[in-house]
Amino acid sequence: MSVPNSAQSTVQAERKAYYQRIAGLSMTPLWEVLHALVPAQPASPCQPALWRYAEVRPFLLESGQLITALEAERRVLILENPGMPGSSCTTHSLYAGLQLILPGEVAPAHRHTQTALRFVVEGLGAYTAVDGERTTMHPGDFIITPSWTWHDHGNPSDEPMVWLDGLDIPIVAFFDAGFMQRGGEQTQREARPQHDAEYRYGANLLPYEYEARSLNSPLFSYPYERSREALEHLRRNAAWHPSHGLKMQYVNPATGGYPMPTIAAFIQLLPQGFQGQTYRSTDATVFCCIEGRGVSRIGGKEFAWGPRDIFVVPSWLSVSHHPAQDCVLFSFSDRPAQKSLGLWREELIA
Amino acid sequence: MSVPNSAQSTVQAERKAYYQRIAGLSMTPLWEVLHALVPAQPASPCQPALWRYAEVRPFLLESGQLITALEAERRVLILENPGMPGSSCTTHSLYAGLQLILPGEVAPAHRHTQTALRFVVEGLGAYTAVDGERTTMHPGDFIITPSWTWHDHGNPSDEPMVWLDGLDIPIVAFFDAGFMQRGGEQTQREARPQHDAEYRYGANLLPYEYEARSLNSPLFSYPYERSREALEHLRRNAAWHPSHGLKMQYVNPATGGYPMPTIAAFIQLLPQGFQGQTYRSTDATVFCCIEGRGVSRIGGKEFAWGPRDIFVVPSWLSVSHHPAQDCVLFSFSDRPAQKSLGLWREELIA
Amino acid sequence: MSVPNSAQSTVQAERKAYYQRIAGLSMTPLWEVLHALVPAQPASPCQPALWRYAEVRPFLLESGQLITALEAERRVLILENPGMPGSSCTTHSLYAGLQLILPGEVAPAHRHTQTALRFVVEGLGAYTAVDGERTTMHPGDFIITPSWTWHDHGNPSDEPMVWLDGLDIPIVAFFDAGFMQRGGEQTQREARPQHDAEYRYGANLLPYEYEARSLNSPLFSYPYERSREALEHLRRNAAWHPSHGLKMQYVNPATGGYPMPTIAAFIQLLPQGFQGQTYRSTDATVFCCIEGRGVSRIGGKEFAWGPRDIFVVPSWLSVSHHPAQDCVLFSFSDRPAQKSLGLWREELIA
Amino acid sequence: MSVPNSAQSTVQAERKAYYQRIAGLSMTPLWEVLHALVPAQPASPCQPALWRYAEVRPFLLESGQLITALEAERRVLILENPGMPGSSCTTHSLYAGLQLILPGEVAPAHRHTQTALRFVVEGLGAYTAVDGERTTMHPGDFIITPSWTWHDHGNPSDEPMVWLDGLDIPIVAFFDAGFMQRGGEQTQREARPQHDAEYRYGANLLPYEYEARSLNSPLFSYPYERSREALEHLRRNAAWHPSHGLKMQYVNPATGGYPMPTIAAFIQLLPQGFQGQTYRSTDATVFCCIEGRGVSRIGGKEFAWGPRDIFVVPSWLSVSHHPAQDCVLFSFSDRPAQKSLGLWREELIA
């Protein structure tokens, strides 16, 4: 293998010339990029990051003066990952943003292939309407607008409403499979009374001979009141997971699976004094603190968070949670997609 | 085809002799029984029948003086189909009975392959414990004790408790697949607080990375309060099914399927004045009236029912419901088994 | 518990009188039959049995003189389990029989809910037509006629043709779910060339965007030539199962599951000198020897079998196989049904 | 809406200033990019393209002189989409390349999360080994090396071997979920005889009580001889699809689904004179001609192809095929991924 330097550089020159010749045929050598294309382990451009709500909120409110919800169509500040500037991505595969809707405003009806989740951060009394059914939003509520469902938002209350949007925009773009339509009217006509889906699909009953027509949950609102009550009750009994504490996943009641085919969502209780074991998985995860304060160590750095703060744990970076008080965290990731494609891995680190 | 009579009888005699000769080899001719074995349509021995609770109740209470719950192991009066005397069956494939448990009594812990449902008819305050978790029973509650789970019942209240038992005893016997064990103690030690399963599996959440280990629902109590509230809410919107009114099925929240692999259970609201369209299906169904009064026409006969009455609609017999008031009916059948085996058929009759 | 005898008999008399009173209301006490209904382990009426083909064959041929295929519709001798005389069953849930079709005869077209398998025992050149597609039958071929498919058989060859029929007749009867129709013509018009299904579904390809419309395999012929070749090849490598030797299951290529929702079928190679470990399972199984001779110990009794002999292993009875030569056995059972219903158990006995 | 120009430019300036201030917090306005992120229909950078084998082959052989298989690890020329230079992608989500292995060479053992397919273009006698089982490669064979299986290639024949590689490299990179390991030895020890998987999984049989442990097919070789024979037989009967002719999909015999969770593969026969109807779908597709010559119109352009030529149809671009002779085309796309994620759409255009 001890080739004289001059011989080596001749070889390199020949190869380079060859590469240029084949470039004209739209061909390129694998061997020059193999290690970058097929790395030994995930090498994501995504970085850990945290958005403090106290810092973000003034800018969010300022946006309400710069542009109307109607002109913006959706007035959202994208939480763009600092490792991927210009990408409009929060993780490599998911988009997150904070949406503001002011009293009296409407975010007009449209539908798209992209599936969205809303996690209510601040305010009470705005609504999301999905395929003609409105649901009033309260802090901590988890709401979905599945792929290709008509949806609009409105705020008849007298305070600003803010929620965290999570969408699979990068996934749909990656697969070149996105469609979008605007509705004929800004606000959908109400086709069913409020809570219809909650009773129809969410009461451990389903309509007689129900057959799912979508990979998304027919239940689109998961009120915080009920999820929080479940956590509180279960803490009396539950063995705590060494890394995740008492963690539950939102489910599609018609399948028992994740509520959307591209995005999983979780809620977890971490009791005061819990020292979470280090963990990593291939699904980069966006967290939003609902209650309590704590610190998470992500890939060796510490991120201190409190209510309404949002932070990101990239793929395969180690994470551990250290709550200073009883804490409740909401989170979401692309886990269902990774599992469907046979890609998901996780690891508890001793 | 005009064979002389004498020739015909010779043929018959030869055949008979032949049948006797092959009987010694445990063989018998198909052609003599083909039409009975493979009929043009279901020809069930099961008959329509109704048990009036007012008539049944005194006998049920009398049983409480004849035998203790402990001696009986389960003090149940089987609702035996009048078309199948001696069979201990209510339909061809299912067993139903009324179980009585008196104040202070215990029905001791055992487990068996057979899956049971309990539909609470009368009383309040007794409990069913499933694998170490107790649930207090109220009228209208639907409770399951899945295959091979330890279960016991107790009545710490001061009134008699009665529920309708539905089991797949005939199915398990037919497949020669039943096992049974008695517990070391009469009453299971409590392993989890009450309502644990309700919050763990029934709140549109599931434990993190939950994987089902059974074909049965991990949720084993479906309180009437919640089911009734759902019906009441949905009546505001729901299109009424021409035959079934507003009918919902209880589901396994971990799959969206039926709560047990052998038995489906339903609850339906029939509004006053509803004239149900005639219907038939291959799953013979046991109904129990919860609220209201009405008449059902089953195979040409009329059966008038009121609260707590129980009636049976056999396979493929036509049925229509005619409520005199707003009515709520509970029902169960072997539909999941028939669907798994590719056997289920239904028909709306104009 | 030491009750004076006279007191005991008074109790018994009171109970008896009570039982008679409630009988009029179609009720009967569970506690008198509980142990029979819910036994500690399967207590099947099914007995082990063996039909020697050499003994059976003359009677089978004699049936050809007693009745035509047309008059009989299906000229079959049922292999009726000696433990269930008059039941037309071979196991508690399955029916098996030997069907004879003479040169020039036709078994006319009909269809029924019951699903059938044919395992060809003797003869070559007859055909089975399923929904307009004929397949020529050779010894050892495994052929299915799924639920509700039109089928007829014909024998254009010049020798008698015999196959083993396996049907789920008892299952369909038990669930009161059977329908049957006769075709307008005795012989179906050919709708597709021979082998169409074999290439369409059996070549590890499926039609573009194929969606299954049935729980049955769209492939209805599994030629022995191919199955036997697979066994021969795999014996070079395969670890032998301690009880089953080299055992394979026929699959529905559109699902990877059993070919029928009610019946599984298997083929296994047992090498000379193999001493099979004792085993039991809840699915009673019908075996047919294809090649070789051996002995099976079933529930303590020995059954010696050779080519074309048929024997039955009841539910939960222990069985071990002891081939005197290289043997190939075909077998079928109700395993898919038991699995769908959550009932199947098996055990290797040390 | 008629805002004076100066006012407009003030607004724009204010917004720009605002965008700069929020950039420091890793935030960016959705409304400036919404239409690009959520387009009305797929707007892929992927372009239609064709690689003529006659043009490509000399360069491919030349690569054999520039670098050894061992040094290259895999000596592949990537067929890089002309619309995405530098991306190493052939479609937005898939990678395709031509791999050369010379007589006596070895491509050493490694394994990775990425799943690969091989479609044999030229040569005969090289082998691919998957988890210790070798399969000899012939032109037209379709072979997979599923995610995380050890695989190596060797060419003991005396002619160069070329195949088309298809991998989900971009998908795995997008989800940040890739792992890779090199084997201890260049060539795996043979663990099973050749054709073991073919008989174990591919003969419409599966091992007794087989349970899939992967989303990938356990069968990894689909010989052309058998697929071609199926097409030839089926043409006698098959109704031709107006756009696709006689098109079949390769299946995982353990599930009936696609052979890999990320990639589907197809083979289709287009008869001489067939004028394919225009079609589009969201899964960009790579085609390789096996037999015959023809023209495909892709998004308004014509691409003339013959044996071994490779061409790409991007997402949602219309395509129609016009064979000059009987043609056989192989193709692959990310359809299983799109379906799992609820994204796939197709359309026949009148």
Side-chain angles (χ1 to χ4, degrees):
Chain A
M1 293 294 186
S2 62
V3 184
N5 271 355
S6 64
Q8 271 191 0
S9 52
T10 307
V11 163
Q12 293 309 329
E14 280 177 3
R15 289 181 181 177
K16 254 199 180 147
Y18 171 80
Y19 300 159
Q20 284 170 350
R21 281 185 287 137
I22 63 175
L25 286 173
S26 293
M27 297 198 300
T28 174
L30 172 64
W31 56 87
E32 295 287 340
V33 291
L34 178 61
H35 303 306
L37 290 183
V38 185
Q41 63 173 52
S44 180
C46 179
Q47 293 180 6
L50 180 143
W51 290 264
R52 256 177 262 285
Y53 194 68
E55 288 176 22
V56 165
R57 190 177 187 275
F59 289 106
L60 197 56
L61 292 180
E62 187 181 344
S63 76
Q65 295 161 344
L66 281 175
I67 192 165
T68 63
L70 201 60
E71 186 190 347
E73 190 160 343
R74 295 294 183 265
R75 187 171 49 216
V76 179
L77 295 186
I78 304 172
L79 306 178
E80 193 175 67
N81 194 282
M84 296 178 285
S87 68
S88 303
C89 294
T90 311
T91 74
H92 214 170
S93 64
L94 293 174
Y95 156 109
L98 286 164
Q99 181 158 175
L100 169 71
I101 185 155
L102 294 173
E105 281 193 327
V106 159
H110 64 193
R111 64 175 178 175
H112 41 64
T113 304
Q114 292 81 0
T115 287
L117 68 85
R118 327 291 175 182
F119 186 74
V120 182
V121 171
E122 177 183 345
L124 188 157
Y127 65 83
T128 282
V130 178
D131 276 347
E133 185 177 336
R134 286 187 182 185
T135 196
T136 300
M137 301 167 93
H138 316 81
D141 288 357
F142 166 62
I143 291 164
I144 64 171
T145 54
S147 180
W148 211 237
T149 51
W150 290 106
H151 55 282
D152 59 78
H153 314 286
N155 187 353
S157 85
D158 53 8
E159 43 179 344
M161 186 93 190
V162 178
W163 62 78
L164 174 66
D165 273 327
L167 283 96
D168 57 7
I169 288 175
I171 294 176
V172 175
F174 175 75
F175 285 105
D176 286 327
F179 298 83
M180 195 262 210
Q181 287 180 338
R182 282 193 184 73
E185 302 180 1
Q186 287 178 13
T187 303
Q188 298 178 70
R189 208 174 52 79
E190 285 195 63
R192 284 178 300 282
Q194 278 223 34
H195 305 296
D196 195 86
E198 182 182 333
Y199 288 112
R200 190 175 298 279
Y201 307 111
N204 299 311
L205 297 169
L206 279 176
Y208 180 75
E209 289 300 311
Y210 177 75
E211 284 178 36
R213 264 163 303 178
S214 154
L215 297 173
N216 290 278
S217 175
L219 181 69
F220 58 87
S221 175
Y222 299 75
Y224 185 56
E225 188 182 4
R226 189 144 184 239
S227 305
R228 187 63 184 87
E229 183 189 10
L231 289 178
E232 200 56 36
H233 191 95
L234 292 173
R235 73 185 303 170
R236 295 180 210 166
N237 166 54
W240 301 90
H241 184 282
S243 178
H244 308 307
L246 176 54
K247 191 166 186 175
M248 305 290 286
Q249 52 201 34
Y250 295 91
V251 301
N252 176 345
T255 64
Y258 299 108
M260 298 157 281
T262 47
I263 313 181
F266 307 92
I267 190 164
Q268 73 197 106
L269 178 67
L270 297 167
Q272 187 179 2
F274 184 79
Q275 294 292 336
Q277 191 176 337
T278 301
Y279 168 87
R280 59 182 176 175
S281 67
T282 53
D283 54 321
T285 303
V286 179
F287 286 85
C288 180
C289 173
I290 314 175
E291 303 177 16
R293 297 191 165 277
V295 166
S296 295
R297 286 192 203 110
I298 310 173
K301 278 196 211 165
E302 295 211 341
F303 293 81
W305 39 259
R308 299 174 180 174
D309 291 350
I310 294 160
F311 60 99
V312 178
V313 179
S315 168
W316 215 236
L317 229 54
S318 62
V319 61
S320 64
H321 303 300
H322 308 274
Q325 316 160 340
D326 278 9
C327 289
V328 182
L329 300 179
F330 169 82
S331 58
F332 67 93
S333 80
D334 65 11
R335 189 172 298 184
Q338 293 209 21
K339 284 189 167 180
S340 293
L341 305 182
L343 300 177
W344 188 65
R345 280 200 198 184
E346 64 170 348
E347 190 177 49
L348 260 181
I349 299 170
Chain B
M1 293 293 186
S2 62
V3 184
N5 272 356
S6 62
Q8 272 192 359
S9 53
T10 306
V11 164
Q12 294 309 329
E14 278 176 6
R15 288 182 182 175
K16 253 197 181 150
Y18 170 80
Y19 300 161
Q20 283 170 350
R21 280 185 289 138
I22 63 175
L25 287 173
S26 292
M27 298 198 300
T28 174
L30 172 62
W31 56 87
E32 295 286 340
V33 290
L34 178 61
H35 303 307
L37 290 183
V38 184
Q41 64 174 51
S44 180
C46 180
Q47 293 179 7
L50 180 145
W51 289 264
R52 255 177 262 286
Y53 193 68
E55 288 175 22
V56 165
R57 192 176 187 272
F59 290 105
L60 196 57
L61 292 181
E62 187 181 343
S63 76
Q65 295 162 344
L66 281 176
I67 193 164
T68 64
L70 202 60
E71 185 191 346
E73 191 160 341
R74 295 297 184 265
R75 188 171 48 217
V76 178
L77 295 186
I78 304 172
L79 305 178
E80 194 175 68
N81 193 283
M84 296 180 284
S87 68
S88 302
C89 294
T90 310
T91 74
H92 213 171
S93 65
L94 294 174
Y95 155 109
L98 286 165
Q99 182 158 172
L100 169 71
I101 186 155
L102 295 174
E105 282 194 327
V106 159
H110 63 194
R111 64 174 177 174
H112 40 64
T113 304
Q114 291 82 1
T115 287
L117 68 85
R118 326 292 175 182
F119 185 75
V120 182
V121 171
E122 176 183 344
L124 189 157
Y127 65 83
T128 282
V130 177
D131 277 346
E133 184 177 337
R134 285 187 183 185
T135 196
T136 299
M137 302 166 92
H138 316 80
D141 288 358
F142 166 62
I143 291 164
I144 64 170
T145 54
S147 182
W148 212 237
T149 52
W150 291 106
H151 56 282
D152 59 77
H153 314 286
N155 187 352
S157 85
D158 54 7
E159 44 178 344
M161 188 91 189
V162 178
W163 62 77
L164 174 66
D165 274 326
L167 284 97
D168 56 8
I169 289 175
I171 294 176
V172 175
F174 175 74
F175 284 106
D176 286 327
F179 297 84
M180 195 263 209
Q181 287 180 336
R182 284 197 180 69
E185 303 179 359
Q186 286 177 14
T187 303
Q188 298 178 70
R189 210 174 50 77
E190 285 195 63
R192 285 178 299 283
Q194 278 224 31
H195 303 296
D196 195 88
E198 183 181 333
Y199 288 112
R200 190 175 298 279
Y201 308 111
N204 298 312
L205 299 168
L206 280 176
Y208 181 75
E209 289 299 311
Y210 176 76
E211 284 179 36
R213 263 165 303 178
S214 153
L215 298 173
N216 290 279
S217 174
L219 180 69
F220 57 86
S221 175
Y222 299 75
Y224 185 57
E225 188 182 1
R226 190 145 182 238
S227 305
R228 188 65 185 85
E229 183 189 9
L231 289 179
E232 201 55 38
H233 192 95
L234 292 173
R235 73 185 303 169
R236 293 179 213 167
N237 166 53
W240 302 89
H241 184 282
S243 177
H244 308 307
L246 176 53
K247 191 167 185 176
M248 305 289 286
Q249 53 202 33
Y250 295 91
V251 300
N252 175 346
T255 64
Y258 298 107
M260 299 158 279
T262 47
I263 313 182
F266 307 91
I267 190 165
Q268 74 198 106
L269 178 67
L270 298 167
Q272 189 179 2
F274 184 78
Q275 294 293 335
Q277 190 175 338
T278 301
Y279 170 86
R280 58 182 178 175
S281 67
T282 54
D283 55 321
T285 303
V286 178
F287 286 84
C288 180
C289 174
I290 315 176
E291 302 178 16
R293 298 191 165 276
V295 166
S296 294
R297 285 193 204 109
I298 311 173
K301 279 194 210 165
E302 296 211 340
F303 293 82
W305 39 257
R308 300 174 181 173
D309 292 349
I310 295 160
F311 59 98
V312 178
V313 179
S315 167
W316 215 236
L317 228 53
S318 62
V319 60
S320 64
H321 303 300
H322 308 274
Q325 316 161 342
D326 278 12
C327 289
V328 182
L329 300 179
F330 169 82
S331 58
F332 67 94
S333 79
D334 64 11
R335 190 173 297 186
Q338 294 210 18
K339 283 189 169 179
S340 292
L341 305 181
L343 299 178
W344 188 64
R345 281 200 198 185
E346 65 170 348
E347 190 178 50
L348 260 182
I349 300 171
Chain C
M1 295 293 183
S2 62
V3 184
N5 270 355
S6 63
Q8 272 191 0
S9 50
T10 307
V11 164
Q12 293 310 328
E14 279 176 6
R15 289 182 181 174
K16 253 197 180 148
Y18 171 79
Y19 301 162
Q20 283 169 351
R21 280 184 289 137
I22 63 174
L25 287 174
S26 293
M27 298 198 298
T28 174
L30 172 62
W31 56 87
E32 296 286 341
V33 291
L34 178 60
H35 304 306
L37 290 184
V38 184
Q41 65 173 51
S44 181
C46 179
Q47 293 179 6
L50 180 143
W51 290 265
R52 255 177 261 288
Y53 193 68
E55 287 175 22
V56 165
R57 191 178 188 272
F59 290 105
L60 196 56
L61 292 181
E62 187 181 343
S63 76
Q65 294 162 345
L66 281 176
I67 192 165
T68 63
L70 201 59
E71 185 190 347
E73 191 160 343
R74 294 296 184 265
R75 187 171 49 216
V76 179
L77 295 186
I78 304 172
L79 305 178
E80 193 176 67
N81 194 282
M84 296 179 286
S87 68
S88 303
C89 294
T90 310
T91 74
H92 214 172
S93 65
L94 293 174
Y95 155 109
L98 286 164
Q99 182 159 173
L100 169 71
I101 186 156
L102 294 174
E105 282 193 326
V106 160
H110 64 195
R111 65 176 177 173
H112 41 63
T113 303
Q114 292 82 1
T115 287
L117 69 83
R118 327 291 175 182
F119 186 73
V120 183
V121 172
E122 176 183 344
L124 189 157
Y127 65 83
T128 282
V130 177
D131 277 347
E133 184 177 336
R134 286 188 182 184
T135 196
T136 300
M137 301 167 92
H138 316 81
D141 289 358
F142 167 61
I143 291 164
I144 63 171
T145 55
S147 182
W148 211 240
T149 52
W150 290 108
H151 56 282
D152 58 76
H153 314 285
N155 187 352
S157 85
D158 53 7
E159 43 179 345
M161 188 92 189
V162 178
W163 63 77
L164 175 66
D165 273 326
L167 284 97
D168 56 8
I169 289 175
I171 294 176
V172 174
F174 175 75
F175 285 105
D176 286 327
F179 297 83
M180 194 262 209
Q181 287 180 336
R182 284 196 181 72
E185 301 180 1
Q186 288 178 12
T187 303
Q188 297 177 70
R189 209 174 51 79
E190 285 196 63
R192 286 178 299 281
Q194 278 225 30
H195 305 296
D196 195 88
E198 182 181 334
Y199 288 112
R200 189 174 300 278
Y201 308 110
N204 299 312
L205 298 169
L206 280 175
Y208 180 76
E209 289 300 312
Y210 177 75
E211 285 178 36
R213 263 164 303 177
S214 153
L215 298 174
N216 290 278
S217 174
L219 180 70
F220 57 86
S221 175
Y222 300 74
Y224 185 58
E225 188 182 1
R226 189 142 183 240
S227 306
R228 188 64 185 87
E229 183 189 8
L231 289 179
E232 200 55 37
H233 191 95
L234 292 173
R235 73 185 303 168
R236 294 181 212 166
N237 166 53
W240 302 90
H241 184 282
S243 177
H244 307 307
L246 175 54
K247 191 167 185 175
M248 306 289 285
Q249 53 202 33
Y250 295 91
V251 300
N252 175 345
T255 64
Y258 298 108
M260 299 158 279
T262 46
I263 313 181
F266 307 92
I267 190 165
Q268 74 198 105
L269 178 67
L270 298 167
Q272 188 179 3
F274 184 78
Q275 293 294 336
Q277 191 175 337
T278 302
Y279 169 88
R280 59 182 177 175
S281 66
T282 53
D283 55 321
T285 303
V286 178
F287 286 86
C288 179
C289 173
I290 314 176
E291 301 178 17
R293 298 190 165 276
V295 166
S296 295
R297 284 192 205 110
I298 310 173
K301 279 194 209 164
E302 296 212 338
F303 293 81
W305 39 258
R308 300 173 181 174
D309 292 350
I310 294 161
F311 60 98
V312 178
V313 179
S315 168
W316 215 236
L317 229 53
S318 62
V319 61
S320 65
H321 303 299
H322 308 274
Q325 316 159 342
D326 278 12
C327 290
V328 181
L329 299 179
F330 168 83
S331 58
F332 67 94
S333 79
D334 64 12
R335 189 172 297 186
Q338 294 210 19
K339 284 188 168 179
S340 293
L341 305 182
L343 299 178
W344 188 64
R345 282 200 197 183
E346 65 169 349
E347 190 178 49
L348 259 182
I349 300 171
Chain D
M1 292 297 183
S2 61
V3 184
N5 271 355
S6 62
Q8 272 191 1
S9 52
T10 308
V11 165
Q12 293 308 331
E14 280 177 5
R15 289 182 181 175
K16 254 198 179 149
Y18 171 80
Y19 301 160
Q20 284 170 351
R21 282 185 287 136
I22 63 174
L25 287 173
S26 292
M27 297 197 299
T28 174
L30 172 63
W31 57 86
E32 295 287 341
V33 291
L34 178 61
H35 303 306
L37 290 184
V38 185
Q41 63 173 52
S44 180
C46 179
Q47 292 179 5
L50 180 145
W51 290 264
R52 255 178 262 286
Y53 194 68
E55 288 176 22
V56 165
R57 190 177 188 273
F59 289 106
L60 195 58
L61 291 180
E62 187 180 342
S63 77
Q65 293 160 346
L66 281 176
I67 193 164
T68 65
L70 202 59
E71 186 191 347
E73 192 160 340
R74 296 294 184 267
R75 187 171 49 216
V76 179
L77 295 186
I78 304 172
L79 306 178
E80 194 175 66
N81 194 282
M84 297 179 285
S87 68
S88 302
C89 294
T90 310
T91 74
H92 213 171
S93 64
L94 294 174
Y95 155 107
L98 286 164
Q99 181 158 176
L100 170 70
I101 186 155
L102 295 174
E105 282 193 328
V106 158
H110 64 193
R111 63 175 179 174
H112 41 63
T113 303
Q114 291 81 1
T115 287
L117 69 85
R118 327 291 176 182
F119 186 74
V120 183
V121 172
E122 176 183 345
L124 189 158
Y127 66 83
T128 282
V130 178
D131 277 347
E133 184 176 336
R134 286 187 182 186
T135 196
T136 300
M137 301 166 93
H138 316 82
D141 288 357
F142 167 63
I143 290 164
I144 64 171
T145 54
S147 180
W148 211 239
T149 52
W150 291 107
H151 56 281
D152 59 77
H153 314 285
N155 187 353
S157 85
D158 53 8
E159 43 179 345
M161 187 93 190
V162 178
W163 64 77
L164 174 66
D165 274 327
L167 283 96
D168 56 8
I169 288 174
I171 294 176
V172 174
F174 175 76
F175 285 105
D176 286 326
F179 298 83
M180 196 264 210
Q181 287 180 337
R182 283 197 181 69
E185 302 180 2
Q186 286 177 14
T187 303
Q188 298 178 69
R189 207 173 53 77
E190 284 195 62
R192 284 178 300 282
Q194 278 223 32
H195 305 295
D196 195 86
E198 181 182 335
Y199 288 112
R200 189 174 299 278
Y201 307 110
N204 298 311
L205 297 169
L206 280 175
Y208 180 75
E209 289 300 310
Y210 177 77
E211 285 178 36
R213 264 165 301 178
S214 154
L215 297 174
N216 290 278
S217 175
L219 180 69
F220 57 87
S221 175
Y222 299 74
Y224 185 57
E225 187 182 2
R226 189 144 183 239
S227 306
R228 188 64 184 87
E229 183 190 9
L231 289 179
E232 200 55 36
H233 191 95
L234 291 173
R235 73 184 304 171
R236 293 180 211 166
N237 166 54
W240 302 90
H241 184 282
S243 177
H244 308 306
L246 176 55
K247 191 167 185 175
M248 306 289 288
Q249 52 202 35
Y250 295 91
V251 300
N252 175 346
T255 64
Y258 297 108
M260 298 158 280
T262 46
I263 313 180
F266 307 91
I267 189 164
Q268 73 196 106
L269 177 67
L270 297 167
Q272 189 178 1
F274 184 80
Q275 294 293 336
Q277 191 175 337
T278 302
Y279 169 88
R280 59 183 177 176
S281 66
T282 54
D283 55 320
T285 303
V286 178
F287 286 85
C288 180
C289 173
I290 315 174
E291 303 178 17
R293 298 191 166 276
V295 166
S296 295
R297 285 193 204 111
I298 310 174
K301 278 196 211 165
E302 295 212 340
F303 293 82
W305 39 258
R308 299 173 180 174
D309 291 350
I310 295 160
F311 60 98
V312 178
V313 179
S315 167
W316 214 236
L317 229 53
S318 62
V319 60
S320 64
H321 304 298
H322 308 274
Q325 315 160 341
D326 278 10
C327 289
V328 182
L329 300 178
F330 169 82
S331 58
F332 67 95
S333 80
D334 64 11
R335 188 172 299 186
Q338 294 210 21
K339 284 189 168 180
S340 292
L341 306 181
L343 299 177
W344 188 65
R345 279 200 199 184
E346 65 171 347
E347 189 177 51
L348 259 182
I349 298 171

